Amino acid sequence: MKLSEMISSFRSEPIQTISQWQDKRFLWVFMAVLSLFMVILAHSVFQIWLYMRPCEQCVYIRLAFFAMAFGGVVAAIKPSNPGLKIVGYLFAIWGSFKGVLYSIKLNKIHHAAHSDDIFGVQGCSPEPTFPFHLPLDKWSPEWFKPTGDCGYDNPIIPDGAQLSNLQKAITDFYSEGWYLWPPSHFMNMAQCTVITFGVVLLFLVVAAACWIVTLWRKRHSVTHTESSACTGNLHKA
């Protein structure tokens, strides 16, 4: 289907169109790839290459992205299968919802840590407690073990580390912490992730609602047809 046809279809039947979109693999794969990209970016680039240590809330946010990725992969197996789609929705909505909560909490801690509110820095521990008591920090400490302080995400370069010219330039750029634009302290990492999770959560809720409404319409249409057929048979009798 061409883009113009998709737009035209959305304008005429938005609920049905959104319901049809989620029967395609693209959106589910896109969500999974985006989620994995965010995790790999945080781990391989910011943590390993730029020496930004993850805090407790940071590793929770990683788990939320992994949940979204898993949901996307499951649903993408066969998006038209209701069972797989429901499992995909459960993981994706749970991940995005928890991601919003973790990001909001991290943003509050970040604000307190960079202000005079010394009592506002709460909810940051080197011993994380993951949902369902999963010992992820023991299973995969490199990915899920907090090694930094919440609210402080500036690079901490180990003694003796040899930086390339590019590494030095970027670590200097983020010397005061991670911001979308560090020179003006525009949007910290928590604010960026809460927007990302929020947008995904909103789309998931709308898409799920459209799917449910479409299923209800189909069922109502079938029931109405069967009722009309029965009424017609009674009149003939």
Side-chain angles (χ1 to χ4, degrees), residues 47-88:
Q47 178 182 336
I48 303 300
W49 195 56
L50 297 179
Y51 301 103
M52 296 179 181
R53 299 179 181 180
C55 65
E56 181 188 13
Q57 300 302 319
C58 298
V59 296
Y60 294 158
I61 288 173
R62 290 183 184 182
L63 175 62
F65 274 123
F66 271 122
M68 287 168 51
F70 182 77
V73 169
V74 170
I77 295 173
K78 190 176 182 181
S80 59
N81 183 292
L84 293 176
K85 186 181 293 186
I86 289 173
V87 173

Side-chain angles (χ1 to χ4, degrees), residues 51-205:
Y51 301 103
M52 296 179 181
R53 299 179 181 180
C55 65
E56 181 188 13
Q57 300 302 319
C58 298
V59 296
Y60 294 158
I61 288 173
R62 290 183 184 182
L63 175 62
F65 274 123
F66 271 122
M68 287 168 51
F70 182 77
V73 169
V74 170
I77 295 173
K78 190 176 182 181
S80 59
N81 183 292
L84 293 176
K85 186 181 293 186
I86 289 173
V87 173
Y89 266 125
L90 289 176
F91 275 93
I93 290 177
W94 180 87
S96 56
F97 177 72
K98 295 293 287 187
V100 168
L101 297 182
Y102 295 143
S103 299
I104 290 175
K105 187 170 186 177
L106 179 58
N107 186 55
K108 290 180 179 179
I109 295 174
H110 184 278
H111 176 74
H114 293 270
S115 67
D116 297 329
D117 183 12
I118 60 174
F119 299 104
V121 185
Q122 299 178 6
C124 192
S125 168
E127 299 296 331
T129 303
F130 291 99
F132 313 110
H133 300 287
L134 294 173
L136 298 178
D137 55 320
K138 305 294 190 302
W139 292 346
S140 184
E142 186 173 305
W143 290 81
F144 293 107
K145 176 69 176 176
T147 56
D149 296 323
C150 296
Y152 297 97
D153 45 18
N154 54 296
I156 301 177
I157 302 170
D159 294 336
Q162 298 294 323
L163 303 181
S164 66
N165 292 334
L166 181 59
Q167 274 181 296
K168 188 176 187 314
I170 297 178
T171 52
D172 288 344
F173 189 62
Y174 287 107
S175 61
E176 296 183 4
W178 194 99
Y179 294 92
L180 193 60
W181 182 246
S184 60
H185 289 189
F186 175 69
M187 291 189 66
N188 61 47
M189 186 176 293
Q191 291 169 337
C192 290
T193 55
V194 76
I195 291 175
T196 302
F197 283 121
V199 170
V200 173
L201 178 60
L202 177 62
F203 181 81
L204 286 169
V205 170

